[in-house]
Amino acid sequence: MPLGLTAVELDRIDEVVASRRKVKRGETLFRNGEKFTSLFAIRTGFFKTCITTEDGRDQVTGFQMAGEVIGLDGIVNDIHTCNAVALEDAEVCVMPFDRIEELSREVNALQHHVHKIMSREIVRENGVMLLLGSMRAEERLAAFLLNLMQRLHARGFSQTELVLRMTREEIGSYMGLKLETVSRTFSKFVEDGIIEVKQRHIRVLNGDALRNIVSTKAGC
């Protein structure tokens, strides 16, 4: 929620949440081509967004976590342009977009907050383009881990430890790398003493080394 709101404004924003919806691991929150009606604030859990390519493969376009808003893709043409799939059991707050628009006209702080969320999504998309267009495998994985840790830390989690909710194959799909390349790069980071890996649990031993790998190209 935006800061500096009065108690009355906070109550009005609370009313925007029409319902809460539980989504089981592997279930789809919304699908490509589905009519857009609501944004979803993730209360708990982790999601991936993906599109299906012409040859039937899933291309991962992003990962979203608790505290983030999902569904912004549908605003432009009133239809969703990707699938949103839960990577673990999750719960979301359903926020009808017509109510958000209506209230934004009355509460300027909310309108500004929505614009900030949309701007952050644009910046993320530009970062992904940079990630796929100009970075080597090591730079891509380092940038991915740094971005994930930064987002988790902003939500009160550890700066040095994280549990990957996505598979290495899904990470590869997102970063434009083959599964073997992702696994090999993880192994190199372990050998270099940069990270420690126990299945999906990652512990960063040398954050400076990760940042040095990315250098000035960070921004995914």
Side-chain angles (χ1 to χ4, degrees):
M1 290 292 100
L3 299 176
L5 296 178
T6 67
V8 173
E9 288 173 334
L10 281 171
D11 286 342
R12 296 202 64 192
I13 290 175
D14 264 348
E15 293 171 3
V16 170
V17 179
S19 62
R20 291 180 181 176
R21 177 175 164 188
K22 293 184 182 297
V23 189
K24 291 288 187 183
R25 179 184 176 185
E27 287 184 354
T28 302
L29 177 61
F30 55 79
R31 296 181 182 278
N32 179 29
E34 193 173 292
K35 182 176 174 54
F36 167 74
T37 58
S38 302
L39 295 178
F40 304 92
I42 305 172
R43 293 194 74 241
T44 60
F46 230 97
F47 285 83
K48 70 174 179 181
T49 48
C50 55
I51 57 174
T52 303
T53 61
E54 289 183 1
D55 57 3
R57 291 181 297 108
D58 275 349
Q59 171 65 54
V60 177
T61 58
F63 299 104
Q64 297 79 24
M65 64 183 69
E68 296 181 344
V69 174
I70 192 170
L72 293 164
D73 62 292
I75 294 176
V76 179
N77 294 315
D78 292 327
I79 59 168
H80 287 290
T81 58
C82 61
N83 303 323
V85 182
L87 294 175
E88 60 182 352
D89 289 353
E91 185 178 30
V92 300
C93 294
V94 182
M95 303 180 294
F97 192 64
D98 56 355
R99 287 286 295 118
I100 294 175
E101 285 190 306
E102 179 184 329
L103 193 55
S104 290
R105 287 191 286 270
E106 301 172 27
V107 182
N108 288 335
L110 177 60
Q111 185 179 57
H112 181 64
H113 194 60
V114 171
H115 289 164
K116 282 180 67 176
I117 292 171
M118 294 174 71
S119 177
R120 192 159 55 227
E121 186 70 8
I122 292 168
V123 170
R124 189 193 68 80
E125 290 283 350
N126 288 341
V128 172
M129 291 175 66
L130 175 64
L131 189 73
L132 297 179
S134 63
M135 288 185 174
R136 296 178 292 108
E138 288 182 25
E139 294 170 335
R140 296 183 193 193
L141 185 57
F144 174 76
L145 291 175
L146 287 169
N147 174 263
L148 206 55
M149 287 190 302
Q150 181 184 33
R151 290 158 65 192
L152 286 167
H153 180 60
R155 284 150 185 80
F157 294 96
S158 169
Q159 268 188 303
T160 58
E161 298 190 32
L162 66 151
V163 177
L164 296 176
R165 305 301 181 186
M166 66 292 292
T167 65
R168 281 163 172 66
E169 188 172 11
E170 288 167 333
I171 293 172
S173 175
Y174 176 65
M175 297 192 303
L177 298 172
K178 293 182 178 179
L179 172 60
E180 296 79 8
T181 305
V182 175
S183 298
R184 188 167 59 246
T185 307
F186 266 115
S187 296
K188 186 178 189 311
F189 285 177
V190 171
E191 291 168 8
D192 292 344
I194 298 173
I195 62 173
E196 183 178 87
V197 179
K198 292 182 180 178
Q199 296 180 324
R200 292 195 180 189
H201 186 274
I202 306 290
R203 182 164 171 248
V204 177
L205 305 176
N206 191 340
D208 287 338
L210 274 183
R211 285 184 280 273
N212 287 337
I213 290 170
V214 179
S215 184
T216 58
K217 295 181 180 178
C220 68

